[in-house]
Structure formats: C-alpha cells, structure tokens
Amino acid sequence: MKPLRDVLANILELRPDDITDETSPDTVETWDSYNGLLMVSELENNFDVKFTMAEVRSVTSVKDIKDILRKHGVSIED
Amino acid sequence: MPQDPHGHDSLQATPLRIALVSSFTFKHFEKTLKEHCAAADISVDIYSSPYGQYMSELLDADSDLYRFDPNLVIVFIDTQSLLGEVFFHPYDVSDDARRSLMREKEEWIHGLLEQLAERTSATILLHNFEVPHYSPVGILEHKQPFGFIESIEELNRNIRDAYKSNNRMFVLDYNAFASSVGKRRLADPKMYYLADMKLDTRFFEELARLYMGVIRPLAARTRKCLVLDLDHTLWGGVVGEDGLEGIALGPTPDGRPFLEFQKYILNLYRQGVILAINSKNNIEDVLPVLRDHPHMVLREEHFAAMRVNWQDKATNIRELAEELNIGLDSMLFIDDDASNRALVRQALPEVGVLELPEDPALYIHTLTHVSDFNRLQMTSEDRMRGALYAAERQRAEAKRASVDLESFLESLQMQVSVLACDAFTKPRIAQLTQKTNQFNATTKRYTQDDIERMLQSGCYTVTCFHAKDRFGDYGIIGLYIVEREAEVWSIDTFLMSCRVIGKGVEYAMMAHLIDAATSANMKQILGTYLQTKKNVPMKDFFRTCGFLPDDSDDDSRWRFNIEEQQYPHKDKQKLLSDL
C-alpha cells in the first residue's frame, strides 16, 4: 500500500510534497477528467476499497478524498 | 544444427504503430498495453481514437487514425453501442424487424472494416460482441423464433465465418473473454455511468495479454521453444528420491494435474513449439521415466534438446539456445521453483519465465493463458517444427556414430521431391522468400501475389523442393525461380532453409535446375549472388556448382555454359524424385 500522497503525485505528475489538502482540479492543471478517472481506479486498487458513485461525484479536493478514505476505514495521516 | 528460420533481422527499425478504435472510454488502456509491450521488448506507438468518434475516424479518409498509419488496428465496439435503443428494448420490435436490423448491423461492420482495410495496410483485430447474459423474457428467451441472445450469437458466428480465410483480419473472441472474467463484473457500474468505461480497469491486464498474442507475431517476437523443468513440473515428486514408481503422474488425484499439463504441452508441440528439458537430475534417473513410465505423455522423441545435470539453470538455457540455434528471446521457461525462475529472470532477461502457481492443479490454466507462441499464419512446416528439431537431435547422434561425412549422408537416405508452384505450395513458397536469410542467393522477398504475378507473366518458372530422410519429414525447404529468355535462364531466386544445409539437398536442387535448362535447349544459366550480412553460406555456392565468375574480382555475377561445362554434383540427382 503506497501513501496517498505518492499515489496522487504519481498521477498528477507532482512531487509528493506539493500535494496538500487544498490541491484540487482548480489548482492543478494535470487534474483533468482523464486523470480523475485514473485516480479512482488507482486509489481503489491501492487501498483495496470500492467507492460509490456519489462519493466519486463529491470530490472537489484532496481533503475530500481523505475524508472518503477515512469513512472506508483507511487510516490517513494529515 | 538447424538454423532459426525466423531470424530476428527483421527486428524493429521503427516502433510498431497500434491504433485502438473503441466505442467507449478506453484510453486508459494505453498504459497497460505499453507496459506489456515494453516487457516483451517491443517498441510501440499507440493511438486511441477520441471518445465518441470511432465511426468518423474509420469513415473519414483524412482522419487522425489514417494519418497515424497504423500497423495494427484494434476495433472494439461494444454490443450496446452497436445496437443503441434496441439493446434495451429488444422485444419492442418484431422478430423479422430484429432479423433485418441485425443483418444491417452486420453489413455496417463489414463496410467499416472494408474501408479500414482499403485505407491502411494494417492488420486488423476485431472484437466480437458480448452476448447478454440476461433477457427481459427470462427463460422464454430461448423459445423466441429469433431471440435477442440468438441474434448476437448469430452475428458473432457470421463475423467469424466472414474472415476465416482473410489473412489480415482477425477476430478476438471478446464474448469468451467476458465470460471468462465474468460478465456481471465486466464493468465497474459507477465508472460506466460516470465515464462510459465499459471494461473495468482490473481486467486490462488480461485483455492486454490477449492482444500480445497478435502483437508478438507482428513484431516478430513469437516464442518458439518451451524449456521445461521435470520434478514438480512435469510430474509430482522428485524422481531421484521417489523413483519411477513413486512420482505422481497418471489417472489419480495427485497425478492428473501433471498428466493433463503434459497433454496440453503435447498440443503445443504439435503446433510447432520446440520442447527442451532443463532439469537438476541424474540422466540415469530421468531416461527411464521418459522411456518407460506408463503415463508419460511427453517422450524422449518429443524433446529437441536436454540438459539434465547439476549446473545452474541459466547456464543450461544458454547452452540450449546455442545447441538449438535459436534466440534466448524465443524461449519460455517453466519451473516450479521460484529461485530458479528468479535466477533465469535476472541472468537472462530475454527469456520468458512463466509464473507457475504453487498448486499443480492450477498449472494447466496458467499455460492455456500463454499467448507467446501465437502465429498469425500457420503452414504445415510451422506445425512440424517441434518434430523437426527433435529429429535433428537424433540425426546429430547418428552423425557422431558415423565414420565419415559421405557415409553419414548415405545413412540419412535423403529424398528430395520436386513440386510445382500451385495453390498448396504457394503460401510456403512466399514464406520461404520472406524468411530465408542465410542460404539465399538474392534475398528477394515475395508475397503470394508477387509469385502469382510472375507465373501469370509466363516468363518465370517457380519450382520448390520437399525433403525427407529416415529421421523425419522436413516439408518444403527450398526453391528456385528462374526468368526464362530465348537462350538463357537467369536465376532470380535460389534459396534453401538452413535446416537441410550440408545434406546434399542444395546440389540436388541445382542438378534439377541445370537438367531442366538443358531439356529446354538453353545455352546458359546466369546466377546472381547479392551479398547481405547473413547470406555468407551462399557465397561460394555457384563456384562449387561449376559456374564461372563474369569478372574475377567480383563474386556477384556467375555463368554456366551448358554445352561446355560439367556439373560437378551430378551424382546428387539420385536424391530427386517427382511427387
């Protein structure tokens, strides 16, 4: 299981340190719809969870992703 | 030893261009496919048709798809996209209406593919259609005069039949793929609704593996040889400890996984895969199993080479490659021992290593998934390859036993048959011109159409030769093409597969050519040698056949004056017979 930062950084082509709670499609150009989809499957595989459609729809930033993962029982550090 | 007829000289000067043309969101698949190609050391450029534009891409001659100039086009249209609303309400229309709709759709597909075939020179891989696993009419589905499920099944059948004899178009059985991974799990529903992804990313690996079965042969990366461990792989237990009677092999719960695994390997052998043994054992323990175990399916005669010793397995594989004269990258290694696999992976990265599961019950499923041996075309010579190499091992043993070369050649009892170019021999004739590198005077590559045109012109004679000896049948292994003029025959092509070099066949072929020219009252035969990096074995051939050089400083133009000269290998004529 890779840390969340690493998964996201890899997809968004950023350094892990550049990923903050506020990182969002509005702040990062590489967070387009293509990478958004990639993110869903990579996160599901990495953390062994299945998101619902509503959860996927609700994501607007990295903070939302953390909240959803916590809800699925994944422990995520701040 | 035999030479590799699929030499790797054709290897990729430029990346293979693969186009994915799909009716739904499939671009994410590129990454997986790239990884699989990289693992097979195949360099590729991949193009995906933009979402929702697959039809216009195929129909518009100026589309980016055609500008990409693909070598392989994968057409992946899903059943729902094909049928639109009818997919959801199949029984809103009458049986007759459904029938004519399906016919229309079928013609539409053929039309698309025709355009594609006309506008590119690409190989085309068409997915067939997923047959629904449910029906709105339930159990009565199969009582319908022309049911919905039946209509898709018929479509698949018709598509398959339409391209059976087409050697550019291949049908990928996507319906079978969908069944094997599970139709109910095929798509992640939320991703389907959110993004029109009709295949869950977790099945990408599996699908990429199927695609590799087409990509490998296109990139000349088909594997040819299966290198097999013995203990715990072909039978259960350790023969050195458990003895012939103690190993698990036969119609028992413990023995059947190995028995059936061997049966599947025998199928591969019959499709031309060369088999070799790589085992840490004493040969005295192994030979009795190969020869006398009542349930052994694979016997000594099936193996082209064996390394049964205590050397490390990577060294053995290197030696096997040398002995068989094939590339390391054409070998696939099967061993139950993870440390042996790791060693080979590390020492010989070109060699394929099958990740065999621990449980022998799963062995056969692992092997049936392997597409490394796929070919896009199969001649009877291809099918015989496994047997050819195994017979070659026995020949080599006979050679060691013979005193001198002439008596060895005598002992082979070689028979060379002369065959005309016809519908049966033409595919092999074209294949030989494409693949023969070493014993080839001019290295001219011809397609079947080229050969046909030569015959139609009336100016060429195309003759091929079939060889067999007491150890086995070689198939069609050589040919010549001559251009006939008033008093002169010019040899356009003279080639022979390296499997039969040094057995007198080449001299029998030339004897036939000279005899035919003499009967046709020719005065001269002209030979041409065009040197390449690979055809050194051909360099002195015309000289040894009594031809004189046109220019003593140049070994490319040769002349044989029929009235003045004697053919020095006239005795080889006795090998010849007409079939």
Side-chain angles (χ1 to χ4, degrees):
Chain A
M1 203 184 284
K2 285 189 289 186
L4 177 63
R5 264 173 207 280
D6 290 9
V7 177
L8 297 179
N10 187 28
I11 295 168
L12 299 176
E13 296 165 53
L14 298 172
R15 284 172 310 179
D17 291 345
D18 294 339
I19 307 275
T20 67
D21 278 6
E22 283 68 46
T23 302
S24 79
D26 298 330
T27 65
V28 178
E29 219 173 273
T30 48
W31 192 332
D32 55 14
S33 62
Y34 176 85
N35 280 337
L37 292 173
L38 200 60
M39 224 181 261
V40 176
S41 58
E42 297 276 314
L43 290 173
E44 285 187 336
N45 291 337
N46 188 60
F47 295 107
D48 197 20
V49 294
K50 274 279 173 204
F51 302 125
T52 66
M53 197 156 130
E55 284 167 346
V56 175
R57 301 283 284 163
S58 72
V59 169
T60 58
S61 66
V62 169
K63 181 166 185 313
D64 296 337
I65 294 177
K66 285 183 174 177
D67 290 344
I68 292 166
L69 283 171
R70 283 198 191 98
K71 213 177 76 189
H72 281 271
V74 179
S75 57
I76 300 279
E77 288 157 40
D78 275 314
Chain B
M1 283 314 292
Q3 289 288 321
D4 177 359
H6 306 273
H8 266 186
D9 62 326
S10 59
L11 264 195
Q12 296 192 274
T14 53
L16 191 74
R17 292 183 302 280
I18 303 173
L20 302 172
V21 178
S22 165
S23 58
F24 55 91
T25 306
F26 196 49
K27 194 173 165 57
H28 296 77
F29 180 76
E30 280 185 13
K31 183 167 162 270
T32 313
L33 189 58
K34 266 184 200 146
E35 287 164 1
H36 276 251
C37 291
D41 196 25
I42 297 170
S43 103
V44 287
D45 285 335
I46 301 179
Y47 169 83
S48 291
S49 63
Y51 177 69
Q53 292 177 35
Y54 73 99
M55 248 187 283
S56 53
E57 286 264 294
L58 288 170
L59 293 172
D60 177 5
D62 286 330
S63 68
D64 288 343
L65 168 68
Y66 293 124
R67 233 167 274 141
F68 179 66
D69 188 20
N71 307 111
L72 171 66
V73 181
I74 298 173
V75 181
F76 187 176
I77 302 169
D78 67 284
T79 311
Q80 187 192 318
S81 301
L82 178 77
L83 299 180
E85 271 307 297
V86 174
F87 179 82
F88 296 103
H89 305 293
Y91 291 109
D92 280 8
V93 295
S94 68
D95 284 318
D96 283 346
R98 197 168 331 94
R99 211 182 279 277
S100 65
L101 174 84
M102 292 313 285
R103 205 163 300 136
E104 219 172 82
K105 293 294 178 187
E106 191 186 320
E107 270 157 28
W108 175 79
I109 293 162
H110 293 322
L112 281 182
L113 292 198
E114 247 166 56
Q115 305 234 17
L116 183 55
E118 253 170 47
R119 287 174 185 154
T120 69
S121 55
T123 298
I124 297 163
L125 182 63
L126 173 69
H127 277 227
N128 74 3
F129 294 89
E130 183 192 342
V131 177
H133 60 284
Y134 55 84
S135 163
V137 294
I139 194 74
L140 293 178
E141 169 66 31
H142 295 293
K143 303 276 189 208
Q144 307 301 315
F146 187 64
F148 180 45
I149 286 177
E150 182 183 0
S151 71
I152 312 283
E153 286 169 348
E154 188 180 89
L155 175 67
N156 283 345
R157 197 164 45 242
N158 292 347
I159 286 174
R160 183 189 60 205
D161 291 350
Y163 300 117
K164 266 189 182 172
S165 57
N166 186 322
N167 49 26
R168 269 180 71 191
M169 308 241 201
F170 295 85
V171 175
L172 183 131
D173 194 350
Y174 184 68
N175 183 51
F177 170 84
S179 299
S180 77
V181 302
K183 286 180 181 175
R184 288 169 65 170
R185 312 186 302 156
L186 199 58
D188 178 340
K190 72 171 176 296
M191 299 304 267
Y192 161 57
Y193 288 116
L194 283 169
D196 200 20
M197 290 186 72
K198 289 181 172 127
L199 180 64
D200 194 331
T201 53
R202 65 184 159 150
F203 302 125
F204 280 8
E205 288 285 323
E206 195 83 17
L207 187 62
R209 230 195 320 250
L210 279 185
Y211 287 174
M212 290 313 290
V214 178
I215 294 169
R216 273 184 178 279
L218 280 180
R221 294 283 179 165
T222 297
R223 295 201 203 269
K224 299 195 262 287
C225 176
L226 193 54
V227 180
L228 295 155
D229 169 51
L230 296 176
D231 290 330
H232 291 303
T233 300
L234 289 193
W235 54 71
V238 178
V239 67
E241 289 166 19
D242 306 324
L244 178 92
E245 296 84 4
I247 57 174
L249 177 67
T252 60
D254 289 337
R256 276 182 56 213
F258 298 100
L259 186 70
E260 293 185 6
F261 188 53
Q262 288 202 22
K263 284 183 179 174
Y264 190 78
I265 293 172
L266 186 63
N267 282 339
L268 293 177
Y269 168 86
R270 295 211 170 114
Q271 292 303 305
V273 174
I274 303 162
L275 303 182
I277 292 176
N278 183 4
S279 162
K280 286 194 183 180
N281 253 315
N282 296 317
I283 188 81
E284 312 86 80
D285 293 323
V286 166
L287 283 178
V289 182
L290 294 180
R291 289 173 183 167
D292 303 324
H293 193 288
H295 298 297
M296 224 20 219
V297 175
L298 300 172
R299 297 289 185 185
E300 199 179 358
E301 70 193 65
H302 298 120
F303 294 100
M306 301 185 203
R307 284 293 176 282
V308 180
N309 54 37
W310 300 93
Q311 287 196 106
D312 76 84
K313 298 227 171 178
T315 305
N316 276 345
I317 290 181
R318 216 179 276 122
E319 288 183 12
L320 287 168
E322 238 164 75
E323 180 179 335
L324 296 169
N325 204 356
I326 56 178
L328 286 165
D329 58 357
S330 68
M331 304 173 109
L332 182 72
F333 178 49
I334 301 190
D335 196 315
D336 66 292
D337 184 327
S339 65
N340 285 333
R341 295 200 298 263
L343 171 79
V344 170
R345 272 206 192 95
Q346 199 197 342
L348 309 170
E350 311 94 307
V351 173
V353 178
L354 191 67
E355 201 48 50
L356 206 60
E358 230 172 275
D359 185 353
L362 303 175
Y363 281 6
I364 191 163
H365 294 291
T366 313
L367 190 57
T368 53
H369 264 89
V370 168
S371 59
D372 293 30
F373 299 110
N374 256 21
R375 293 166 181 287
L376 298 184
Q377 201 190 2
M378 181 83 80
T379 62
S380 56
E381 278 72 15
D382 290 325
R383 273 194 201 94
M384 281 158 49
R385 183 171 302 105
L388 283 165
Y389 277 72
E392 188 62 29
R393 181 175 56 79
Q394 293 170 292
R395 269 180 212 108
E397 279 163 17
K399 193 169 184 174
R400 278 196 288 276
S402 307
V403 193
D404 64 286
L405 186 65
E406 269 311 308
S407 65
F408 164 67
L409 290 179
E410 287 288 329
S411 75
L412 284 179
Q413 297 161 15
M414 180 68 77
Q415 286 174 278
V416 180
S417 314
V418 186
L419 296 150
C421 178
D422 58 24
F424 298 105
T425 58
K426 204 167 42 180
R428 175 60 177 166
I429 287 170
Q431 186 187 46
L432 277 170
T433 71
Q434 303 276 350
K435 290 184 169 170
T436 309
N437 296 314
Q438 298 191 328
F439 202 85
N440 192 339
T442 51
T443 322
K444 293 185 181 173
R445 312 297 196 194
Y446 293 123
T447 63
Q448 292 191 48
D449 289 344
D450 295 334
I451 302 282
E452 186 56 41
R453 267 194 293 279
M454 288 176 149
L455 292 176
Q456 294 294 336
S457 77
C459 306
Y460 290 88
T461 298
V462 181
T463 302
C464 63
F465 298 87
H466 174 281
K468 68 175 177 190
D469 64 21
R470 74 180 165 102
F471 293 104
D473 197 324
Y474 294 93
I476 295 171
I477 38 64
L479 63 96
Y480 65 71
I481 301 174
V482 292
E483 188 179 359
R484 303 190 306 266
E485 285 156 57
E487 299 188 319
V488 178
W489 277 14
S490 301
I491 301 175
D492 174 89
T493 296
F494 192 104
L495 66 82
M496 191 182 73
S497 161
C498 289
R499 322 169 162 152
V500 281
I501 275 189
K503 293 176 175 126
V505 176
E506 58 273 45
Y507 295 115
M509 286 168 55
M510 186 57 90
H512 184 270
L513 196 161
I514 291 172
D515 195 47
T518 310
S519 305
N521 294 316
M522 291 298 117
K523 294 209 157 61
Q524 288 192 331
I525 301 169
L526 301 182
T528 305
Y529 170 68
L530 300 178
Q531 188 165 355
T532 68
K533 271 183 201 157
K534 296 222 164 180
N535 70 350
V536 180
M538 190 75 201
K539 197 174 168 62
D540 276 327
F541 179 65
F542 286 117
R543 189 192 311 278
T544 60
C545 286
F547 282 63
L548 300 170
D550 259 9
D551 173 349
S552 54
D553 293 333
D554 176 10
D555 60 7
S556 66
R557 318 282 308 171
W558 298 85
R559 190 178 295 271
F560 189 90
N561 294 304
I562 292 174
E563 282 161 3
E564 295 157 30
Q565 283 166 257
Q566 277 291 320
Y567 178 53
H569 302 285
K570 239 178 152 43
D571 61 312
K572 291 293 183 290
Q573 211 152 17
K574 69 176 188 281
L575 304 181
L576 291 170
S577 64
D578 285 310
L579 260 192

